Amino acid sequence: MVDDLKWADVIAIVLGLGQRKWGQNAMKAVAASEKPVLWDADALNLLAINSQKRQNRIITLHPGEAARLLGVKDQRSRERK
């Protein structure tokens, strides 16, 4: 899969990636690339499980995803209950 990403200038990982084996393998291929990456949806779920340090990434997240990635409770979701 790493070879499949060579043509791209930027990689976007978004909704539909899934969190199963295929999605995990896709994340490994992206991690092996040095290209800038946009992370959203399922990619954020996988990132919460297996964090990676990169300088060239953009993450698009809502407060609940931010709370999960930072290991804190989302105050807004607690207030709604």
Side-chain angles (χ1 to χ4, degrees):
M1 185 178 282
V2 174
D3 289 338
D4 294 334
L5 301 173
K6 286 183 179 177
W7 65 270
D9 294 324
V10 176
I11 301 168
I13 309 173
V14 296
L15 185 64
L17 177 67
Q19 298 177 44
R20 294 192 174 150
K21 192 69 172 172
W22 190 92
Q24 293 170 10
N25 288 336
M27 289 287 289
K28 288 177 187 174
V30 169
S33 167
E34 295 182 6
K35 305 204 181 231
V37 181
L38 173 88
W39 301 65
D40 188 34
D42 285 333
L44 296 174
N45 293 325
L46 289 171
L47 184 61
I49 295 167
N50 183 17
S51 64
Q52 300 171 1
K53 295 182 179 180
R54 294 181 68 125
Q55 296 297 319
N56 58 346
R57 75 170 154 208
I58 299 169
I59 56 175
T60 59
L61 41 82
H62 58 66
E65 290 167 332
R68 187 170 54 251
L69 287 170
L70 296 171
V72 298
K73 294 188 180 213
D74 178 10
Q75 184 66 29
R76 291 189 321 165
S77 63
R78 284 186 15 200
E79 290 171 355
R80 289 184 198 135
K81 292 183 179 181

